[in-house]
Amino acid sequence: MRRVPPRPLLPRLAGATALLAALSGCGLLSSGDGADGPALSEPLGVTAQAGSATSVHVMWNRPASTAAVEGYEVYRGRTRVKELSARQQMVDVTGLRPRTRYVFTVRARDEDGEAGPASRKVTVTTPAAVAADRSAPSRPTGLRGTADGARSVSLSWRGSDDDKGVVSYDVYQGTTKIHSVPGTQTRAVLTGMRPGTAYRFTVRARDAADNTSPPSGTVRLTTAEGADEGADTAPADFTAAVRRSGDASYIDLTWTPPDTGGEVPAYQVYVDGEQATTVVWGDSAPEGTAKYSFYIGGGSDAARHRVKIRAQLPDGTWGAFSPERRVTGRQ
């Protein structure tokens, strides 16, 4: 996880304005992106899942920066293998070798066609090829789903059978594949849905030879009206407490990541109703309890603050806020 090392902020913090000004001076709160506008940052939450012995499904989240994204470039090692529009945040890379290790990265492209920094590297190994395998997996059964608020849905199903083993499950919205999970997983969380919209989903199983099962039964879901991101997208078990170390005061945060069906790469921390910082994990985000601390001042300051956080979802949007916690600068 990347952090900005804490350094002295202000000798006394009288309230929200002073605290946020201090965080900005410490580099935790953005103070502008220059005369030419905000710069692209790297795509977040990149994952790679072997779809078969010769294909890999790569997914990623939008960059955390506010710069406009016009497209994405997917790299296998140093070779650019795909160029995609800004609307696409997943792709199947085909024509690969069985039983081979690959490294993938993704770059965002701006309005001028310039590529931003590369994402973190993700490594995946394709399974061994299966000779003369013409038998497709059985149809996934028992597909069920629920709409969580206006922008996310959860799906679950019973696993398929295959004589050589299921490598992945592909989720379809209508006739378009929109998601993929490992063959050991029979649940998916989909985000980026439109409020008040009816959807139809099916699931297909795939084996190492790229044989695809018949589609599951169809589940029909309608998202809620409004802007509710869905309670299930909020970090759970959120706590905030002040810790003293000598003359310095810190706020220690802990939480459980929401189950989004993928890795949560970033969180926004809000103090007194304003965004104070974005916490970004580099190589791997925690699957269990997550922790983060930041410096709020020293001396005898006793200011009270309100703290809450929210997670970045697989489609790059931000989920629901955690409950807000109140802390006092001196304990």
Side-chain angles (χ1 to χ4, degrees):
M1 182 183 69
R2 291 179 301 199
R3 296 191 183 185
V4 178
R7 66 184 186 187
L9 302 180
L10 294 177
R12 295 182 63 84
L13 297 177
T17 302
L19 175 59
L20 292 172
L23 289 172
S24 178
C26 187
L28 294 176
L29 181 64
S30 174
S31 58
D33 296 284
D36 296 329
L40 279 176
S41 58
E42 70 274 14
L44 302 174
V46 179
T47 61
Q49 165 63 39
S52 69
T54 58
S55 67
V56 167
H57 188 69
V58 183
M59 295 187 291
W60 58 93
N61 299 332
R62 285 182 56 85
S65 65
T66 59
V69 175
E70 288 297 310
Y72 295 99
E73 299 175 354
V74 180
Y75 288 79
R76 186 189 67 235
R78 296 183 178 180
T79 302
R80 185 174 62 193
V81 293
K82 295 285 183 179
E83 292 187 60
L84 306 164
S85 72
R87 297 188 303 273
Q88 294 176 267
Q89 291 172 235
M90 62 183 68
V91 69
D92 282 322
V93 180
T94 59
L96 304 178
R97 296 175 180 270
R99 211 171 181 177
T100 302
R101 178 180 177 272
Y102 291 97
V103 178
F104 291 94
T105 54
V106 181
R107 294 175 182 262
R109 195 172 57 248
D110 65 17
E111 297 171 319
D112 297 324
E114 296 294 328
S119 70
R120 70 183 179 96
K121 297 177 180 179
V122 292
T123 302
V124 61
T125 300
T126 52
V130 180
D133 181 9
R134 297 183 178 86
S135 177
S138 64
R139 180 197 312 266
T141 59
L143 179 63
R144 304 178 65 181
T146 57
D148 180 28
R151 300 185 181 277
S152 68
V153 300
S154 298
L155 304 177
S156 63
W157 58 90
R158 289 191 289 272
S160 300
D161 295 321
D162 185 74
D163 57 343
K164 305 297 184 181
V166 174
V167 173
S168 64
Y169 290 98
D170 299 326
V171 179
Y172 287 78
Q173 178 189 321
T175 59
T176 303
K177 187 173 78 170
I178 61 170
H179 196 61
S180 184
V181 298
T184 56
Q185 187 172 323
T186 55
R187 182 174 182 268
V189 177
L190 311 176
T191 61
M193 304 290 107
R194 294 181 178 179
T197 303
Y199 291 95
R200 296 182 298 113
F201 299 101
T202 56
V203 177
R204 293 174 180 259
R206 259 199 295 174
D207 64 17
D210 246 337
N211 296 311
T212 303
S213 76
S216 68
T218 300
V219 64
R220 292 174 171 81
L221 300 172
T222 300
T223 53
E225 299 282 357
D228 177 19
E229 296 89 349
D232 287 349
T233 66
D237 308 316
F238 178 59
T239 67
V242 170
R243 170 173 53 89
R244 297 281 296 177
S245 179
D247 291 333
S249 294
Y250 299 83
I251 295 180
D252 293 338
L253 308 179
T254 65
W255 66 90
T256 302
D259 185 358
T260 64
E263 183 179 275
V264 178
Y267 295 86
Q268 288 179 335
V269 179
Y270 278 67
V271 178
D272 298 328
E274 299 288 342
Q275 185 185 344
T277 185
T278 299
V279 182
V280 180
W281 267 269
D283 295 333
S284 61
E287 296 180 0
T289 301
K291 298 180 180 181
Y292 182 71
S293 298
F294 58 94
Y295 176 72
I296 60 168
S300 58
D301 174 60
R304 294 182 178 181
H305 303 294
R306 297 174 287 112
V307 187
K308 61 183 178 180
I309 63 172
R310 61 180 178 175
Q312 189 174 46
L313 305 180
D315 66 330
T317 61
W318 297 96
F321 278 107
S322 68
E324 192 170 64
R325 306 301 184 195
R326 295 178 181 271
V327 297
T328 302
R330 183 180 63 207
Q331 287 188 345

